[in-house]
Amino acid sequence: MKFFAAVALAHLLVAHGFVLQQDKDLRPLPTQSSETALNVAAEIASSDMKPRKTREERLEAASKGLQVHCVGLSIHHADVEVREKLAVPEHDWNKASSEICMGGAVAESAVLSTCNRFEVYYAASDARAAMADVTKYLADRSGLPVSTLRKNLFMLSGDDAVWHIMRVSGGLDSLVVGEGQILSQVRQCYMHSVEEDGSGGKVLSRLLNNAVAAGKRVRSETAISKGSVSISSAAVELSEMLSMDDLQLPFSEARLAVVGAGKMTRLLITHLASRGLEKITIVNRSLGRPKELQEQFPDVDIEIKLMDDLWDVVGRSDIVYTATSSEDYVIDEQRLEENGLAGGRPLMLVDISVPRNVGEDCKNIPNMFAYNVDDLKAVVARNTAMRQKEMIEAENLLREEAQSYIAWREALSAIPTINQLQERANAFREEELKRCTRKLSNANLSDKEMEAVERLSRGIVNKLLHGPMAHLRKTESIEGKQATLKELSAMFRLEEDESNRNRRRR
C-alpha cells in the first residue's frame, strides 16, 4: 500500500510541477520527467518498507542465538605497517560497520580504530559465515591477502570477546597501562553504534555500554590511572632518554617542534611543559588550533608556522614530533634530500601517528634517528611493572562487569520460552473461560461481574507462572539455564505446541 500511495503522490506532484526527492523535500521540476519522479517515489516507498526495528523485534533478534565476536589487530599483535592499512577515521566508523553487515551473516557491528588498535566487534548467529564476511572486508580494505592478515589478526568469541573489550576499556590492554584516552574512544564507539546510521543492535550496544561503565569503575575504584602516562608522554620520555645518545645534546637544550595541532599535540605540550619546556614550534595547515594551544599554555612560548615553512622548521630543530591525521607521509627520505636536510647534523623524528607521518626510509639517512609508536614498548615496560597490584584489582572489577553482561546475555535465551509459556497458559485460560461462560449464561451475571471472573482467571494464571518465569530470569550458570529451559519445555509441552503451530501455518 505504501508503494501505491507514493506513486499516486508522485503523479500529483508532477502535475503541479514538483518532484519529491530522496531527502523528502519538495523541489521545482524544471526538466525532470514523470518517470524520474515515479522512480524516486518507488525508492522512497521501498526505503519506508524497512523501518527501524522496534524494541520487541530487537529483543527477539537478540534472543535467537546471537553471539558476540571480536576480530582485530593491535600493537601487541601487528606491526604499524599492517595497522595503518586498516585504520579508519572516526567519522567513517559507522560506514565501515555498515559495510561489514552488508554480507548478511553479521547482524550487528561496531568498529574501534585508534593509533594502537583496529578492532571489529560484531554479533552473529553463524560464526563461520560472519568470520568470512569480516575477513573479506578487512582484506578488501587493506589490500592485503587473507593469508597475511591472518598472521596478524586475533579472533575472539563469546566470553573471550566480552573479556577483551572489558580489558580494553579498563586500559589493561593498552600499550601504556591505565591510560585514559582509550576509555573515551570506547565510549565514542558505543555512541556511534547507537546512532541512526550505526549498526549496533541490542546485544552489541549493551556490551559496549557495559564496557564503558566498567572502564569508569576501574578508574574510580583503583589507582590504575594515577600517575599513568599516555602515548604522548611516552614519546616525550623516549626522546628525553635517547637525546644524549642520538643527538649528543641534553634534552633540556634541544630545539623542539611538532607537526600537527590536534589532541595528541595538546597532550604532548602538557607533558613537555611539566618537564620545564619554555619554547616549541607548531607547524600546522591552519592557524586556528595552534592559536588555541597558545591560549591554553600561556607560560610556553609557542611559535606558529604553516606547512609551507615545514622544512625550514625541520632544518633548525633537533627533535621533531609528528602527530597529524594525514594518511600519507609528511616526512620521508626523498623530501629530506630535496630540501637539503639529509646527512647533516643529527635529527630525531618521533612519529606518534597512525597511519604514520614519517617514512621508514628516513632511518637510511646518516645522523637521522626515526621512531614510531612501536618503539615506545621499551619505554612503557617499566610503567607496566609498577602497576601490577592495580592491574590485579582492576581485573577483579572487570570480571564482575563481564559476568554481569554475560548473565544478561544468557537471560535473553529465555525470552522465547517465556513467551511460549505465557501463550500456552493464556490459551488454556481462554478455553476454560469460554466453557465457564456458557455454564454461567443462565446465571444472569452482569458485564461487570463477567469482567471480574476474567480478571480472576488472569490473576490465577499470572501467579502460577510467576515462579517458573522468575526462575528462568535469575542469574545462574549457562548449563543450568539450558537445563531449566529444557525441563520447562518438556513439562508444559512447549515444543509440541510450537510444532503444531508451524503445521497450521503451512
Side-chain angles (χ1 to χ4, degrees):
M1 290 298 292
K2 285 186 178 180
F3 175 84
F4 293 112
V7 171
L9 175 60
H11 275 300
L12 180 62
L13 293 172
V14 169
H16 290 278
F18 288 88
V19 65
L20 182 64
Q21 296 196 356
Q22 289 192 46
D23 58 5
K24 302 188 181 180
D25 287 337
L26 282 175
R27 308 275 173 84
L29 180 66
T31 56
Q32 294 93 331
S33 65
S34 60
E35 181 181 356
T36 302
L38 291 177
N39 289 339
V40 173
E43 290 179 17
I44 294 169
S46 298
S47 65
D48 284 345
M49 288 177 187
K50 297 178 181 179
R52 288 179 67 82
K53 291 181 180 179
T54 63
R55 179 177 181 276
E56 289 73 20
E57 288 172 332
R58 292 197 303 271
L59 277 171
E60 182 180 0
S63 67
K64 290 181 178 177
L66 285 185
Q67 186 62 275
V68 175
H69 308 272
C70 175
V71 173
L73 40 81
S74 74
I75 196 168
H76 305 301
H77 311 88
D79 292 335
V80 66
E81 291 89 344
V82 178
R83 299 202 308 275
E84 65 187 3
K85 291 182 184 297
L86 284 169
V88 178
E90 185 179 332
H91 57 78
D92 285 335
W93 286 3
N94 281 355
K95 179 182 176 184
S97 299
S98 178
E99 290 175 0
I100 290 169
C101 292
M102 281 181 181
V106 176
E108 305 174 15
S109 175
V111 166
L112 175 64
S113 181
T114 74
C115 61
N116 285 331
R117 69 182 67 248
F118 173 85
E119 296 174 351
V120 178
Y121 295 92
Y122 63 97
S125 53
D126 186 338
R128 186 181 295 271
M131 185 65 219
D133 279 2
V134 175
T135 304
K136 182 179 183 303
Y137 169 80
L138 297 180
D140 291 345
R141 178 171 182 83
S142 66
L144 297 172
V146 174
S147 57
T148 302
L149 272 176
R150 287 189 181 278
K151 294 176 183 176
N152 293 277
L153 290 174
F154 65 85
M155 306 171 189
L156 301 169
S157 294
D159 294 357
D160 291 335
V162 174
W163 178 236
H164 177 71
I165 184 59
M166 294 296 171
R167 293 189 83 252
V168 168
S169 186
L172 301 191
D173 194 62
S174 297
L175 175 62
V176 180
V177 175
E179 56 101 357
Q181 192 174 5
I182 188 61
L183 175 58
S184 174
Q185 291 162 336
V186 173
R187 181 179 180 277
Q188 287 304 109
C189 180
Y190 163 69
M191 295 297 291
H192 287 305
S193 75
V194 297
E195 289 173 345
E196 189 71 22
D197 61 341
S199 301
K202 189 74 179 177
V203 172
L204 202 56
S205 59
R206 175 72 174 242
L207 172 63
L208 294 172
N209 194 25
N210 275 33
V212 173
K216 290 179 179 178
R217 185 183 173 195
V218 161
R219 286 165 176 80
S220 64
E221 297 183 26
T222 73
I224 194 72
S225 61
K226 291 182 180 177
S228 68
V229 294
S230 64
I231 296 298
S232 298
S233 67
V236 172
E237 187 174 339
L238 175 74
S239 53
E240 184 178 32
M241 182 173 65
L242 299 177
S243 181
M244 280 301 298
D245 292 339
D246 292 351
L247 307 176
Q248 307 302 310
L249 186 71
F251 183 71
S252 59
E253 298 178 14
R255 291 167 295 180
L256 309 180
V258 57
V259 185
K263 185 174 183 179
M264 296 292 277
T265 297
R266 178 174 59 78
L267 294 172
L268 193 70
I269 296 176
T270 299
H271 294 295
L272 287 168
S274 69
R275 284 170 163 76
L277 169 73
E278 296 180 355
K279 183 175 182 178
I280 190 169
T281 302
I282 295 179
V283 182
N284 198 49
R285 289 177 298 178
S286 60
L287 299 174
R289 287 186 175 178
K291 287 186 176 180
E292 290 177 6
L293 291 172
Q294 278 183 327
E295 295 175 359
Q296 290 177 31
F297 299 95
D299 297 331
V300 178
D301 180 7
I302 298 178
E303 180 185 18
I304 301 174
K305 293 288 185 179
L306 294 176
M307 291 300 289
D308 291 341
D309 297 317
L310 172 64
W311 301 112
D312 176 62
V313 172
V314 172
R316 56 184 170 87
S317 299
D318 299 306
I319 302 175
V320 177
Y321 303 93
T322 57
T324 81
S325 58
S326 173
E327 295 184 4
D328 300 316
Y329 293 143
V330 177
I331 301 173
D332 59 18
E333 182 179 13
Q334 181 180 344
R335 290 185 177 93
L336 287 167
E337 289 177 347
E338 289 174 352
N339 288 276
L341 298 174
R345 62 182 182 77
L347 175 64
M348 182 187 297
L349 302 173
V350 184
D351 184 7
I352 55 176
S353 303
V354 176
R356 289 172 296 172
N357 291 165
V358 177
E360 190 72 12
D361 56 8
C362 289
K363 294 181 179 179
N364 300 330
I365 302 174
N367 287 333
M368 189 72 60
F369 304 91
Y371 303 97
N372 59 45
V373 289
D374 284 2
D375 296 307
L376 301 179
K377 293 179 181 178
V379 176
V380 300
R382 179 176 52 193
N383 170 266
T384 302
M386 292 170 59
R387 296 180 177 280
Q388 289 300 321
K389 181 181 178 182
E390 285 81 5
M391 288 177 67
I392 293 171
E393 293 178 5
E395 284 193 335
N396 290 335
L397 294 177
L398 291 175
R399 284 193 182 90
E400 292 178 12
E401 296 295 330
Q403 192 54 47
S404 173
Y405 171 80
I406 292 168
W408 172 85
R409 173 65 191 84
E410 289 305 318
L412 289 179
S413 63
I415 290 176
T417 300
I418 289 174
N419 290 340
Q420 288 176 347
L421 188 58
Q422 290 175 324
E423 288 173 7
R424 188 166 180 81
N426 197 49
F428 285 147
R429 183 191 68 79
E430 290 178 349
E431 184 180 329
E432 293 301 318
L433 187 61
K434 284 179 182 178
R435 190 176 299 159
C436 177
T437 301
R438 286 196 296 270
K439 291 180 180 179
L440 293 174
S441 59
N442 297 326
N444 295 322
L445 295 179
S446 65
D447 291 343
K448 198 169 185 179
E449 289 170 327
M450 288 303 299
E451 284 179 14
V453 172
E454 182 166 357
R455 282 198 303 273
L456 175 65
S457 67
R458 288 184 185 278
I460 293 172
V461 168
N462 289 339
K463 285 185 181 298
L464 285 172
L465 292 181
H466 176 73
M469 289 197 295
H471 185 62
L472 271 178
R473 290 191 179 104
K474 78 177 183 178
T475 303
E476 57 180 323
S477 67
I478 296 174
E479 295 77 11
K481 179 80 69 180
Q482 291 173 344
T484 302
L485 290 172
K486 191 172 182 180
E487 288 173 6
L488 281 174
S489 294
M491 189 183 303
F492 290 94
R493 300 179 183 177
L494 299 181
E495 292 180 1
E496 179 183 316
D497 191 47
E498 182 67 20
S499 62
N500 290 337
R501 265 205 307 272
N502 292 335
R503 277 198 295 271
R504 284 199 296 273
R505 287 184 192 132
R506 295 195 198 102

